[in-house]
Every structure is written in structure tokens, then in C-alpha cells.
Amino acid sequence: MRGLYTPPGLTVPYEFQVAHELGGRMLNVRGETIRVERPLGRGRTFSVRDAAGLTVHQPRGRSFENVLFDAQRQPLCSFGMTEINADVFVQYLRNHGVPFFRPDGQPLEPAAREFDKGGTDLGKAFGPRFTLQLRRTEPIGVWIGCGIALGLLMFFPGFPLVAYFTYGKPYEDLALDLLMVLTVVFNIGPWVLAAVRGQLFPRRLSVEGDRLWLNGYKEIRLEDVEGLRWHAADECYLLMGKNGKALAKFSTRDNFGPQFMNFLTDHNIRLIAS
């Protein structure tokens, strides 16, 4: 049951989701209500007050999962600690007084990790702890859409026209090969550019006490932050560095967005003129 570890001071929002990155079953948590959504089949809704406990279970051929059950020991929902916001859900259950049990039925209090017991910085950390899903700072969708449009333009009208005007000429094959290369470049180029600029997949920003971590390894130092800039096109905020570059883009409509805005306000990071 070591997987039930939650960092000290973990912040729990009023509303959040627990789900695997590859999709599938999702838990929608809103206040005291928990909604189980499944891609196939009917979902179900219950209150956290219906939960009598949480235990660990290992289905045959699958990894360990945590099972939330009611007073009749009937399962209400299950989740794995590798899922998004799983640690938040564990803290949520702890906050509502849901007891934890070992597989043999003995009570269990989720324990801190060994490196926290020794008084490390993580164990001593105060303040909020949460992870925010960021928005892309560059218009990747526009790039990809334009690339596909240009690729289709090259392929459908382009090939017949080039074949017609170069038919029988010595550079006919060269022109068709060049057109094929351009078609491939326009279709693949935006994806490659997005990957090079680190914008292909949405990034995450973790708040640990007074420190910010991008994707869990790159630190954003508060002294390098100039302020916030409002992006009216998609109603998001840009966290701007003193070098004039956007460090992160987020929305207060997303999970932990309001908490992150409060964090920035508490550290005197304000809106700056556009």
C-alpha cells in the first residue's frame, strides 16, 4: 500500500478528474459527488459519504489498483496511482475521513516516503502542492491545419497541372519529385517543428511550496518571472519571463487554474501591460 503516499500539503480543488493518460474510465469529482464515466456502458454517481473505506486489490493479470467500497463492501470505483490526479483523489478521500485498509482488513494510515521521514526539503515543504495542465503557447493547431491544406493543394491540383505543363520535357520527373517532396514537407513539417519547440504535447507545471517545475524537471524561478499577460483570443494567461518569452500558458477554467492564480498573486506576480 505504499502507493497511497500523498505529498504533504497537497491541494485539492473543488472539482477535478482522475483518468489514465490513454483514456478509458474517468472519475469526475465535484464537491462531495463522484461520477464514474465509462467509454462503454453506463456510468454511476455516488457521494463520498457512501464510501466506507479504501483498500488495494490486484486483479488477475493486472497491476495493483485502489478500490473504494461502501458499507456493504461493494466496490464503488477503482483507480491506479499512475493515473492523472490519483494522488489528489487520495488526499480528497483523506480530507473526507475515508479510512484506508490493508488487503487483510487491517487499518492503514497512508505513510510518508522514506526520504520524507528524514527531514528533507520535500518533507519540510509548506504551502500548496499541485500540478497544472498547461496550454500550448504557440498555435500548433494552426500550423498543422495550414500544412495539411498546403499539402492537399500541392497533391490534388498541383500534380495534374505540373504533369500537364512538364509532359515530355527533360525536367518532368524532377518537377514531379520536387512536388512530392514539398507535399511531404508541408504535411510533416508542422509536427516536426512542434516537437522541436516542445509544443507537440501539452506540458505540466508542478507547484511545490515556493518552487515551480515544468514537466517535473525544469525549474521556473520566480525571480525570472516578469508578470502575467492576458491572452484574449483564448481567454488564457501567459506567464512571462524577464527575457520577454512566454514561460507558461494556463487558464483559470482548468483544474488548479484558480489555485495557481492565487499562488502567483501571493508572490506579487501581477498583470503587465500588453
Side-chain angles (χ1 to χ4, degrees), residues 209-229:
D210 290 331
R211 306 181 72 178
L212 303 177
W213 296 94
L214 191 61
N215 288 341
Y217 67 90
K218 182 180 179 181
E219 184 175 8
I220 297 179
R221 301 193 305 171
L222 291 175
E223 53 267 31
D224 295 332
V225 176
E226 180 184 6
L228 287 171
R229 185 166 293 164

Side-chain angles (χ1 to χ4, degrees), residues 3 17 38 41 45 62 65 67 111 116 125 131-132 134 136 189 202 223 227 251-252 269:
Q17 292 80 38
R38 295 184 175 87
T45 302
R62 293 167 55 188
E65 63 181 11
V67 179
D116 287 333
T131 299
L132 174 70
L134 297 176
R136 292 183 175 90
E223 53 267 31
S251 171
T252 54
I269 296 176

Side-chain angles (χ1 to χ4, degrees), residues 129-146:
R129 296 179 62 84
F130 56 85
T131 299
L132 174 70
Q133 184 86 19
L134 297 176
R135 304 292 185 95
R136 292 183 175 90
T137 56
E138 298 180 4
I140 304 302
V142 176
W143 296 355
I144 294 175
C146 290

Side-chain angles (χ1 to χ4, degrees), residues 9 19 56 64 72 83 118 120 139 141 160 220 227 235 240 246 251 256 258 269 274:
V56 69
F64 284 98
Q72 286 74 41
E83 298 183 23
T120 61
I220 297 179
E235 297 182 344
M240 303 300 299
S251 171
F256 296 108
I269 296 176
S274 301

Side-chain angles (χ1 to χ4, degrees), residues 78-113:
S78 62
F79 65 98
M81 291 308 296
T82 59
E83 298 183 23
I84 300 172
N85 287 333
D87 53 349
V88 179
F89 190 51
V90 170
Q91 185 64 50
Y92 167 84
L93 296 175
R94 295 181 68 181
N95 293 350
H96 284 83
V98 177
F100 295 80
F101 297 94
R102 298 180 185 276
D104 59 6
Q106 295 299 314
L108 171 72
E109 174 63 23
R113 289 180 178 175

Side-chain angles (χ1 to χ4, degrees), residues 212 220-228 238-243 245 247-248 260 263-264 267-270 272:
L212 303 177
I220 297 179
R221 301 193 305 171
L222 291 175
E223 53 267 31
D224 295 332
V225 176
E226 180 184 6
L228 287 171
L238 292 172
L239 188 66
M240 303 300 299
K242 292 182 178 178
N243 57 3
K245 295 183 179 180
L247 302 174
F260 186 52
F263 170 86
L264 296 175
H267 288 81
N268 296 317
I269 296 176
R270 312 292 182 182
I272 57 179

Side-chain angles (χ1 to χ4, degrees), residues 52-204:
L54 181 76
T55 188
V56 69
H57 174 61
Q58 185 179 23
R60 181 174 298 179
R62 293 167 55 188
S63 60
F64 284 98
E65 63 181 11
N66 300 310
V67 179
L68 189 67
F69 57 86
D70 60 18
Q72 286 74 41
R73 303 288 297 187
Q74 296 299 313
L76 296 171
C77 68
S78 62
F79 65 98
M81 291 308 296
T82 59
E83 298 183 23
I84 300 172
N85 287 333
D87 53 349
V88 179
F89 190 51
V90 170
Q91 185 64 50
Y92 167 84
L93 296 175
R94 295 181 68 181
N95 293 350
H96 284 83
V98 177
F100 295 80
F101 297 94
R102 298 180 185 276
D104 59 6
Q106 295 299 314
L108 171 72
E109 174 63 23
R113 289 180 178 175
E114 291 298 326
F115 56 76
D116 287 333
K117 296 177 182 178
T120 61
D121 289 341
L122 183 60
K124 296 177 181 178
F126 293 98
R129 296 179 62 84
F130 56 85
T131 299
L132 174 70
Q133 184 86 19
L134 297 176
R135 304 292 185 95
R136 292 183 175 90
T137 56
E138 298 180 4
I140 304 302
V142 176
W143 296 355
I144 294 175
C146 290
I148 293 175
L150 289 173
L152 292 175
L153 186 64
M154 287 284 181
F155 187 81
F156 289 105
F159 269 96
L161 289 175
V162 171
Y164 176 78
F165 287 107
T166 61
Y167 179 74
K169 297 182 179 179
Y171 53 83
E172 178 184 3
D173 291 340
L174 178 61
L176 292 175
D177 290 342
L178 179 60
L179 194 62
M180 177 61 73
V181 170
L182 290 175
T183 301
V184 173
V185 168
F186 281 130
N187 280 279
I188 300 180
W191 297 89
V192 175
L193 180 61
V196 170
R197 299 182 68 89
Q199 298 285 312
L200 186 58
F201 301 103
R203 297 183 292 180
R204 296 181 182 178

